[in-house]
Amino acid sequence: MLYLKKILDFYINSSAHVSLSALALTAMTVQFYAISDSFHCLLFVFCSTLVGYNFVKYDALARIQQNKWRIELKFIVFLSLFAFLVCLYLFFQFHWYVQLFVVFPMFLTLLYTLPFFPNKGNARNWKGVKIYIVSFCWVLMTVFFPLVFGRITLDSSVFWLSIQRFILIFVLVLIFEIIDVTKDDPHLQTVPQMIGVEKTKKLGYLLLTILVLIDVLKPQIHWIALSFKILVSVTIALFLYYSKETKSRYYSSFWAEGIPVFWWLLFTLLKS
């Protein structure tokens, strides 16, 4: 049992789980717009997410908990390096306009991690900004990147999909912020720190309602898609309802973060 726990911890700590969630959301966009030959697109999203998340979190963590992370961190660095080489290879296989697009989320990741501006620190430590940057980057990579890759014309459906995707990621991040509300630096001004846990949950419920209403108010209602969105929104709402500071990290880092994978599998099952 201890051995299985170590495997699960490595799976989460190496960012493989969050990368699988990013792949799942991208795969849904691919399916929505029937994008062919999408393997390189999906592989790039998975590997770039793994590299980006590990780049953001492990430099400081390795210094703070050096003894605890010494062996595991070596494996994570090796995995991240391999994923980076895959990203580099795929990048040079893309058309120039896809390469140009990728530069923007890459810059946001660097801005999020490195202190570009004097006396400002990195964007991760800017007051109240973190949740918006994270949500926006996920929309760029899981909605717009596959569309640019597949040369799909951007229309109103893309706009509404990006709004719904932003809401989905935003509410999922709220779950993390509630669980970490007593651990996060008060200077960060996360949503629960600013308005309290209960109001944060109410905000999440409101956003999920808007997510569903977007499908309800469309000129033509697709009942299967609407039922699917309702089911996913209820699932996220339940996770949000039961989130609190005393929850274990598995609650957010494994179960809540795995919701997009559940969403993708359910969507694939309903579509088949």
Side-chain angles (χ1 to χ4, degrees):
M1 185 63 70
L2 182 61
Y3 183 72
L4 292 176
K5 182 179 182 300
K6 287 183 177 180
I7 293 177
L8 177 61
D9 286 343
F10 179 78
Y11 171 66
I12 295 172
N13 294 333
S14 65
S15 302
H17 190 54
V18 67
S19 300
L20 182 61
S21 294
L23 182 149
L25 290 175
T26 308
M28 291 185 63
T29 304
V30 166
Q31 290 176 300
F32 286 155
Y33 291 92
I35 299 172
S36 58
D37 300 324
S38 60
F39 176 76
H40 284 177
C41 168
L42 297 173
L43 182 60
F44 184 83
V45 169
F46 179 87
C47 290
S48 62
T49 303
L50 189 144
V51 172
Y53 267 76
N54 287 343
F55 175 68
V56 165
K57 66 185 180 182
Y58 279 114
D59 177 60
L61 189 58
R63 285 197 297 265
I64 294 171
Q65 302 180 7
Q66 188 173 2
N67 293 331
K68 180 179 178 180
W69 286 90
R70 184 180 57 187
I71 297 176
E72 185 177 9
L73 185 59
K74 289 180 180 179
F75 285 103
I76 291 174
V77 168
F78 175 78
L79 181 63
S80 301
L81 179 60
F82 178 76
F84 173 75
L85 293 176
V86 172
C87 286
L88 199 62
Y89 170 78
L90 293 174
F91 179 84
F92 288 108
Q93 304 303 309
F94 293 151
H95 292 289
W96 67 268
Y97 51 85
V98 181
Q99 294 175 340
L100 191 62
F101 177 87
V102 167
V103 170
F104 186 49
M106 182 178 70
F107 170 74
L108 287 177
T109 302
L110 293 174
L111 180 66
Y112 186 77
T113 311
L114 303 176
F116 279 97
F117 305 105
N119 303 319
K120 279 286 187 179
N122 55 35
R124 189 181 190 182
N125 294 312
W126 295 355
K127 290 183 179 180
V129 170
K130 173 183 173 181
I131 191 170
Y132 299 99
I133 294 179
V134 171
S135 301
F136 184 57
C137 282
W138 274 70
V139 171
L140 285 177
M141 289 306 296
T142 67
V143 175
F144 288 99
F145 173 68
L147 297 181
V148 173
F149 176 87
R151 300 184 183 184
I152 303 299
T153 302
L154 303 184
D155 55 18
S156 60
S157 69
V158 176
F159 171 77
W160 292 117
L161 175 61
S162 62
I163 294 296
Q164 289 178 307
R165 191 66 54 84
F166 185 92
I167 291 173
L168 171 71
I169 301 303
F170 191 94
V171 178
L172 286 175
V173 176
L174 289 180
I175 296 173
F176 281 79
E177 291 193 346
I178 289 173
I179 292 175
D180 294 336
V181 66
T182 58
K183 302 173 187 174
D184 285 332
D185 187 339
H187 173 77
L188 291 177
Q189 293 291 287
T190 62
V191 177
Q193 287 174 341
M194 290 190 293
I195 66 175
V197 171
E198 290 306 314
K199 287 185 178 179
T200 297
K201 291 183 178 182
K202 290 177 182 178
L203 173 63
Y205 303 146
L206 175 62
L207 290 173
L208 291 172
T209 302
I210 294 173
L211 186 150
V212 173
L213 284 176
I214 288 174
D215 273 9
V216 172
L217 298 177
K218 286 180 179 178
Q220 290 185 334
I221 299 178
H222 298 279
W223 292 106
I224 294 179
L226 178 59
S227 302
F228 173 70
K229 293 282 176 59
I230 292 173
L231 178 59
V232 171
S233 296
V234 169
T235 303
I236 298 174
L238 287 173
F239 270 91
L240 185 62
Y241 178 80
Y242 287 105
S243 61
K244 54 185 177 181
E245 304 92 306
T246 56
K247 287 289 186 181
S248 74
R249 70 188 187 95
Y250 297 108
Y251 184 84
S252 56
S253 297
F254 182 76
W255 295 110
E257 208 157 64
I259 290 176
V261 180
F262 162 74
W263 194 2
W264 174 37
L265 293 175
L266 181 62
F267 176 78
T268 304
L269 180 65
L270 291 175
K271 190 177 179 182
S272 61

